[in-house]
Amino acid sequence: MSDLLSQDEIDALLRGMSESSSQETTITDQDKDVLGEIGNISMGTAATTLSILLNQKVNITTPVVSVLRWDELPKEFPVPYVAIKVVYKEGLEGVNLLILKKEDVEIIADLMMGGTGNIEFSEELSELQISAIQEAMNQMIGSASTSLSSMLNLRIDISPPEAFVIDFAQNAEEMIPELKSADEIVKVAFRMTVGDLIDSQIMQLIPVDFAKQLVNAMLSNTLGAFPAEERTEAKSSVQETIRTSEKPSMEESSKRQTVASSHSFQQKKEEKSERVYNVSPVQFESFDEEEERRYPENIELILDVPLEITVELGRTQKLVREILEFSTGSIIELDKLAGEPVDILVNGKVIAKGEVVVIDENFGVRITDIVNPSNRL
């Protein structure tokens, strides 16, 4: 008997491989529900960050997930949009594309630069506007990645987001070859409102293979605590819970840590066996030497919050009659001596001492002493 495969056998193997590959890359309705839940939570924290940056109330609603083919993108996005490309390098590997309307980008850029957002739209975006939206998306995606990392229990690292104008009918293949090579593309659409200035959509385009990574990571993290024989039943229950649950607000979603259905399974697990308690000696902190300062694990959530720094040279008190006598050339004597350290304040609270220096043609302050935290209180 010959060891060589016949043509019919080869064709059958190829068909089997094709069907297997198709099953792995197909996005099911349950996968869409999981992707919607991931987007719901991660974009909730992103909306909070954008609200702080723009000093406007930002709301991003529950997402709508659909699947598109590459040739459907020009019809779905007939006019030029602004795209922000995010490459995941660690924890997850893939590309995520954020899509914004050009008019929305102009308003956000104006708010980022201290404007009111009430502007006349231009035909083309300037480099300054592209830089402004890139910085805004950098902050948003950073917050979303932090939330995603906590949700999936993974260390996630991304490359700096890249912003550019994209026309899906002309330059899309050059700008995003990663999406061109995907058979199907997952579109996650959010309704975004910014004060009374924007009522529009912000969209995510994700290759199917990367979307599958997100779904598997979410389910693996949620089901990791269950025994192997219970995971199939638990997976179905978790997906069903996500599918049938009411759509929560973004604020509630950003606080969600686990899927509610896991509680019932955990109770069943505890009923099957007696509780075992691990007892260990209490470990007290050492007061012999000062330990290195450690920041809370969730400090990343507020690292991008802007603070106002003020340097105070000195103070004095004057009567109303003395102030009315001020004129050009008047000298006001302060309560500090020449060469005495100046106070450095953050949001009105003294946090350090320093000395005034000159950097090129600008004044600066060299920090000479940090105020003890107990003294700040």
Side-chain angles (χ1 to χ4, degrees):
M1 182 176 181
S2 174
D3 292 335
L4 298 177
L5 297 177
S6 66
Q7 186 62 43
D8 292 339
E9 291 172 327
I10 294 175
D11 293 341
L13 286 174
L14 291 176
R15 284 197 299 271
M17 292 174 61
S18 176
E19 291 175 359
S20 175
S21 175
S22 175
Q23 291 177 355
E24 291 179 357
T25 58
T26 298
I27 295 294
T28 65
D29 290 339
Q30 291 177 336
D31 292 338
K32 292 180 182 179
D33 295 330
V34 176
L35 289 171
E37 186 69 12
I38 293 173
N40 204 20
I41 297 173
S42 59
M43 292 302 287
T45 56
T48 302
T49 301
L50 187 62
S51 177
I52 295 172
L53 288 175
L54 305 183
N55 196 26
Q56 293 279 340
K57 182 179 179 180
V58 177
N59 186 32
I60 300 181
T61 63
T62 304
V64 177
V65 183
S66 58
V67 179
L68 303 172
R69 297 191 310 273
W70 174 263
D71 55 7
E72 293 177 327
L73 293 180
K75 297 179 182 179
E76 188 76 15
F77 307 100
V79 298
Y81 282 75
V82 175
I84 297 89
K85 180 179 178 182
V86 184
V87 178
Y88 288 78
K89 303 185 298 182
E90 183 181 349
L92 298 170
E93 294 185 1
V95 173
N96 184 0
L97 202 70
L98 281 177
I99 304 294
L100 290 164
K101 293 182 179 179
K102 172 180 167 295
E103 292 79 8
D104 299 340
V105 168
E106 292 188 70
I107 295 174
I108 293 175
D110 185 67
L111 292 172
M112 284 282 292
M113 294 182 286
T116 62
N118 297 309
I119 58 174
E120 295 183 2
F121 299 117
S122 58
E123 294 184 2
E124 295 184 359
L125 293 175
S126 65
E127 293 185 2
L128 188 59
Q129 289 172 320
I130 292 291
S131 298
I133 192 62
Q134 185 166 297
E135 177 61 25
M137 293 300 105
N138 188 22
Q139 303 288 349
M140 280 186 62
I141 294 167
S143 298
S145 298
T146 301
S147 176
L148 188 62
S149 177
S150 300
M151 192 191 327
L152 304 182
N153 197 24
L154 287 173
R155 175 181 172 83
I156 295 178
D157 187 20
I158 61 174
S159 62
E162 176 187 359
F164 49 85
V165 178
I166 187 170
D167 188 338
F168 286 94
Q170 296 182 4
N171 64 347
E173 294 185 17
E174 301 175 3
M175 296 293 188
I176 45 173
E178 297 88 352
L179 293 187
K180 176 65 172 67
S181 60
D183 294 331
E184 293 180 326
I185 301 165
V186 178
K187 171 189 168 187
V188 187
F190 306 83
R191 181 187 175 191
M192 180 179 70
T193 60
V194 178
D196 297 328
L197 301 170
I198 296 177
D199 188 351
S200 184
Q201 278 192 333
I202 178 172
M203 293 157 282
Q204 286 181 314
L205 296 182
I206 312 171
V208 168
D209 57 349
F210 184 48
K212 277 290 187 181
Q213 279 191 60
L214 291 171
V215 172
N216 293 334
M218 179 70 169
L219 294 178
S220 297
N221 183 57
T222 304
L223 305 175
F226 297 106
E229 62 271 12
E230 295 183 2
R231 288 181 185 174
T232 301
E233 182 184 359
K235 179 177 179 180
S236 301
S237 179
V238 169
Q239 292 174 331
E240 181 67 18
T241 301
I242 293 175
R243 183 178 65 83
T244 59
S245 62
E246 295 183 358
K247 301 298 185 181
S249 67
M250 299 305 292
E251 181 178 359
E252 293 170 346
S253 298
S254 64
K255 298 178 180 178
R256 182 177 304 170
Q257 299 294 325
T258 58
V259 179
S261 64
S262 63
H263 295 296
S264 61
F265 280 92
Q266 190 65 27
Q267 291 174 358
K268 291 181 181 178
K269 180 181 178 182
E270 292 176 357
E271 292 173 358
K272 291 181 180 180
S273 60
E274 297 181 357
R275 296 185 178 181
V276 178
Y277 298 93
N278 296 322
V279 180
S280 59
V282 178
Q283 300 293 330
F284 294 101
E285 295 183 2
S286 173
F287 294 94
D288 294 337
E289 57 184 10
E290 185 177 357
E291 296 184 357
E292 182 181 357
R293 187 192 315 175
R294 296 181 180 178
Y295 296 105
E297 293 182 357
N298 59 350
I299 190 69
E300 292 85 359
L301 298 177
I302 61 170
L303 288 181
D304 298 319
V305 176
L307 300 174
E308 181 179 347
I309 298 179
T310 306
V311 177
E312 186 177 286
L313 296 177
R315 297 188 181 189
T316 188
Q317 290 184 346
K318 295 290 183 182
L319 301 176
V320 174
R321 70 170 67 91
E322 293 175 318
I323 294 176
L324 294 176
E325 293 175 356
F326 284 172
S327 62
T328 303
S330 297
I331 297 176
I332 303 174
E333 183 178 353
L334 303 178
D335 59 354
K336 287 195 176 183
L337 301 176
E340 189 176 350
V342 296
D343 293 332
I344 302 173
L345 301 89
V346 174
N347 281 6
K349 296 186 180 296
V350 178
I351 61 104
K353 303 283 186 179
E355 58 183 6
V356 178
V357 296
V358 176
I359 306 173
D360 294 333
E361 297 181 355
N362 298 325
F363 283 110
V365 177
R366 179 188 292 114
I367 295 177
T368 58
D369 183 35
I370 300 294
V371 178
N372 189 287
S374 61
N375 294 337
R376 299 180 207 167
L377 298 177

